[in-house]
Amino acid sequence: MSFTIVDSIINNATLNPDAIAFRYITSFEDSPLEVTYKQLFIRTNTIAHFLKKNAEANSRIMLFYPPGLDYVVAFFGCLLAGMVAVPLYPPRKNSKSDRIFKVAQSCQSHVALTVGSEINSVKASWDEQNKSNIELTFFATDELITDASLEYIRPDINAESAAFFQYTSGSTGTPKGVVISHENIIANVRYLSAVSAGNKDDIFVNWLPLF
């Protein structure tokens, strides 16, 4: 068995359950939103169980989230389920771009996740622009009841398994997807740790697009 992002989530939840895994800052006036490693595992495991009941094994799951912790939890939830995350900008009404539909056709996705505050507008925008009649079922992950008692079942994945698909903008043609494996992510993190001389007590500030 080779090491994956899923193993990292489990290890951190076991060894450092109360340490802060992610902190999301909305403004300097408001308190940041935080999630510990234990909370992250419980929430992602809840989503993983939900996905296993509502999607086929190895499914590609489209993620239509605004920036925030819900996106982080859903992303890792896909991985704990042994599925592949496909992060995208949420569709907007009156948009002339058909990128998300080309991506949906490319990755053959049938399930999309978002948050309750976005799901109606995302579904309406999808239905308005869905000229190819692509079937996509939407779920709001923040409306799931988090259950700490759910059994953890390790997915049948390894380091070479796909973690997520990253697509080009499609501004000059059909969006092209790149498969990012667990091994790719781990190698990138190890490289960043080496060049930054970072350690487990450091706090990294990220200001990057999610898609």
Side-chain angles (χ1 to χ4, degrees), residues 125-185:
S125 300
W126 176 272
D127 292 339
E128 177 188 63
Q129 303 169 55
N130 186 13
K131 296 180 176 59
S132 301
N133 295 319
I134 301 172
E135 293 187 9
L136 194 66
T137 304
F138 295 83
F139 299 104
T141 53
D142 59 334
E143 296 178 353
L144 299 178
I145 298 175
T146 301
D147 188 350
S149 68
L150 289 173
E151 179 185 5
Y152 165 65
I153 302 174
R154 191 186 190 282
D156 183 20
I157 58 174
N158 56 47
E160 296 179 352
S161 298
F164 71 101
F165 292 168
Q166 189 169 38
Y167 279 85
T168 60
S169 65
S171 59
T172 59
T174 301
K176 295 177 175 59
V178 177
V179 179
I180 309 298
S181 69
H182 288 254
E183 189 174 41
N184 293 148
I185 299 173

Side-chain angles (χ1 to χ4, degrees), residues 44-60:
T44 55
N45 194 43
T46 297
I47 292 176
H49 273 261
F50 178 82
L51 285 174
K52 289 176 181 178
K53 292 179 180 178
N54 292 277
E56 296 181 4
N58 303 313
S59 287
R60 278 70 63 192

